[in-house]
């Protein structure tokens, strides 16, 4: 079956372009041409399956049978900003491209433990959505534990609450805050860190250097400018990762199966949403993800922790990660906690959905920050 695409033209260039398309067989003699509201002429033409909208050139990648793309699931601690919208616009553009090629697309986006598919899956099992999510997360952790990759151990080190991650000593520096007090911060984000000493469940991340390097060698991270940072972190010696927190510190979360004193680490919990959207653990579930669209601030979780979790569980890691840079305000990363965000709803009202989408796709450059 053919794909329907659009071409816009004016009266001079348009006739030439349309004649070229017609001569190559992309436009039939019965072509319906009509004048658009902006004064340009719009023509619907037929592009044979297997061709891109660049006339006469085959796409550089093979057309898959189906396509699975995701955005991050966003925190509910504040309203979304333009950076969140950018992730969704990129994923939506890719989704639309494959839809034009008539490839069935599974497009996942949303917030943690929220979504119609999760609700439908829970109802199918006659469970409350929260109970269903808890069980899926616990099932995945139990799978890792049964394979010997999770053990009970002692953790001591720096922890960034804002980034929801443990950081090493060389990722911490001391700075003078606005109030004159000295504060240890995480170098990459500038967020404060605090020293943690806990008895937690640990994931044997240290055993996954070679599997992760083999995966990275498949050129899965795009743009490639982000890959060296991930590769450097992997080859510098991966420490085992704490995958739980004491419940007295984090009471809001999924309890560790068989140990009510511990809460499952937020990233181990949250990342499993990609599995459940694909139908896991039901027979015939769709996996792996073809493309994760993420901001560079969460690349480590998606390009190190997540593929390691999946490999440990005997599942295939994602085929591609599209990482994008930040939208900045006065050369500073937008952050809900800092309050320096651009409200996308205000801009949508002013410039329209298509206007804002066009601007973000045209002006945004994934490999460098925009403003």
């Amino acid at each position: 079956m053919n794909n329907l695409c659009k071409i816009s033209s004016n009266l001079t260039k348009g006739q030439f372009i349309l004649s070229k398309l017609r001569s190559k067989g992309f436009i039939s003699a019965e072509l319906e041409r009509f004048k658009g509201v902006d004064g340009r002429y719009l023509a619907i033409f037929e592009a044979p399956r297997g061709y891109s909208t660049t006339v006469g050139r085959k796409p550089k990648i093979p057309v898959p049978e189906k396509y699975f793309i995701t955005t991050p699931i966003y925190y509910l601690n504040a309203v979304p900003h333009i950076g969140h919208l950018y992730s969704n616009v990129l994923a939506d553009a890719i989704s639309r491209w494959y839809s034009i090629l008539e490839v069935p697309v599974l497009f996942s986006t949303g917030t943690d433990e929220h979504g119609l598919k999760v609700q439908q899956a829970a109802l199918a099992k006659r469970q409350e959505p929260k109970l269903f999510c808890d069980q899926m997360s616990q099932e995945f952790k139990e799978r890792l534990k049964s394979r010997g990759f999770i053990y009970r151990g002692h953790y001591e080190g720096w922890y960034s609450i804002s980034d929801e991650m443990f950081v090493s000593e060389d990722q911490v520096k001391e700075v003078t805050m606005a109030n004159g007090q000295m504060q240890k911060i995480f170098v990459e984000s500038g967020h404060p860190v605090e020293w943690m000493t806990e008895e937690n469940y640990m994931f044997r991340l240290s055993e996954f250097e070679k599997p992760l390097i083999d995966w990275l060698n498949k050129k899965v991270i795009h743009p490639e400018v982000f890959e060296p940072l991930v590769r450097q972190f992997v080859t510098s010696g991966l420490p085992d990762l704490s995958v739980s927190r004491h419940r007295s510190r984090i009471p809001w979360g999924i309890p560790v199966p068989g140990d009510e004193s511990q809460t499952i680490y937020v990233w181990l919990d949250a990342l499993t949403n990609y599995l459940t959207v694909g139908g896991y653990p039901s027979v015939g579930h769709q996996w792996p993800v073809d493309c994760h669209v993420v901001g560079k601030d969460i690349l480590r979780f998606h390009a190190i922790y997540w593929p390691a979790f999946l490999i440990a569980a005997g599942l295939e890691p994602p085929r591609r990660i599209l990482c994008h840079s930040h939208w900045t305000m006065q050369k500073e990363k937008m952050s809900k906690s800092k309050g320096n965000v651009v409200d996308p709803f205000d801009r949508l009202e002013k410039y329209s959905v298509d206007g804002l989408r066009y601007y973000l796709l045209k002006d945004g450059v994934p490999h460098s920050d925009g403003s």
Side-chain angles (χ1 to χ4, degrees), residues 3 7 53 58 70 102 107 193 202 215 228 241 262 274 304 370:
N3 310 310
I7 180 171
T53 51
K58 292 184 178 180
T70 76
E102 296 179 343
F107 181 6
V193 297
M202 308 291 292
W215 176 67
L241 177 69
Q262 296 279 316
Y274 300 131
I304 298 177

Side-chain angles (χ1 to χ4, degrees), residues 94-348:
I94 297 170
S95 174
R96 287 168 183 256
W97 164 248
Y98 281 103
S99 294
I100 288 174
L101 297 179
E102 296 179 343
V103 174
V105 176
L106 177 57
F107 181 6
S108 170
T109 187
T111 55
D112 198 358
E113 293 196 6
H114 179 271
L116 182 59
K117 283 187 175 290
V118 171
Q119 180 178 325
Q120 290 173 338
L123 291 175
K125 293 181 177 292
R126 298 183 178 181
Q127 295 177 342
E128 289 295 320
K130 182 182 183 302
L131 177 61
F132 174 77
C133 292
D134 289 358
Q135 289 184 350
M136 291 301 101
S137 181
Q138 291 171 347
E139 193 275 343
F140 186 72
K141 180 183 178 297
E142 281 297 292
R143 185 165 183 167
L144 296 178
K145 187 177 180 180
S146 67
R147 288 168 172 256
F149 292 110
I150 289 184
Y151 65 96
R152 181 123 191 189
H154 177 79
Y155 178 81
E156 188 171 351
W158 297 105
Y159 185 77
S160 169
I161 296 176
S162 296
D163 297 290
E164 295 281 13
M165 65 181 295
F166 299 95
V167 298
S168 61
E169 188 69 41
D170 60 357
Q171 295 173 305
V172 174
K173 72 175 181 179
E174 192 171 44
V175 298
T176 303
M177 305 299 285
N179 59 8
Q181 293 184 342
M182 302 301 292
Q183 172 69 56
K184 297 276 190 180
I185 64 166
F186 177 31
V187 175
E188 291 184 16
S189 66
H191 294 141
V193 297
E194 57 184 72
W195 188 261
M196 293 284 187
T197 302
E198 291 185 352
E199 193 80 19
N200 294 336
Y201 287 93
M202 308 291 292
F203 173 72
R204 299 184 191 277
L205 184 63
S206 56
E207 298 185 13
F208 287 87
E209 178 177 335
K210 185 180 184 306
L212 287 173
I213 290 298
D214 291 343
W215 176 67
L216 290 171
N217 286 341
K218 297 177 182 178
K219 303 297 182 184
V220 292
I221 298 180
H222 298 267
E224 293 184 3
V225 67
F226 292 112
E227 185 188 304
L229 295 173
V230 176
R231 191 177 291 268
Q232 180 183 3
F233 188 84
V234 172
T235 56
S236 63
L238 292 170
D240 286 354
L241 177 69
S242 174
V243 290
S244 73
R245 301 294 310 281
H246 198 275
R247 203 152 185 82
S248 62
R249 291 183 181 270
I250 305 182
W252 174 252
I254 298 174
V256 169
D259 189 348
E260 293 291 327
S261 70
Q262 296 279 316
T263 300
I264 294 177
Y265 177 47
V266 61
W267 281 101
L268 177 59
D269 162 20
L271 289 167
T272 56
N273 95 91
Y274 300 131
L275 283 168
T276 57
V277 166
Y280 177 89
S282 302
V283 176
H285 64 273
Q286 186 169 341
W287 196 259
V289 166
D290 292 287
C291 182
H292 285 310
V293 178
V294 301
K296 65 180 181 180
D297 55 330
I298 57 173
L299 178 61
R300 179 181 303 178
F301 306 103
H302 288 79
I304 298 177
Y305 301 161
W306 181 226
F309 292 157
L310 289 168
I311 295 169
L315 298 169
E316 189 176 343
R319 290 173 176 159
R320 174 170 295 196
I321 295 177
L322 174 59
C323 179
H324 65 78
S325 296
H326 295 145
W327 286 87
T328 61
M329 179 68 74
Q330 297 178 341
K331 297 184 178 181
E332 186 177 18
K333 176 182 177 286
M334 290 185 195
S335 169
K336 291 179 287 187
S337 59
K338 294 179 181 178
N340 62 341
V341 300
V342 173
D343 181 2
F345 300 105
D346 174 67
R347 299 307 190 273
L348 287 169

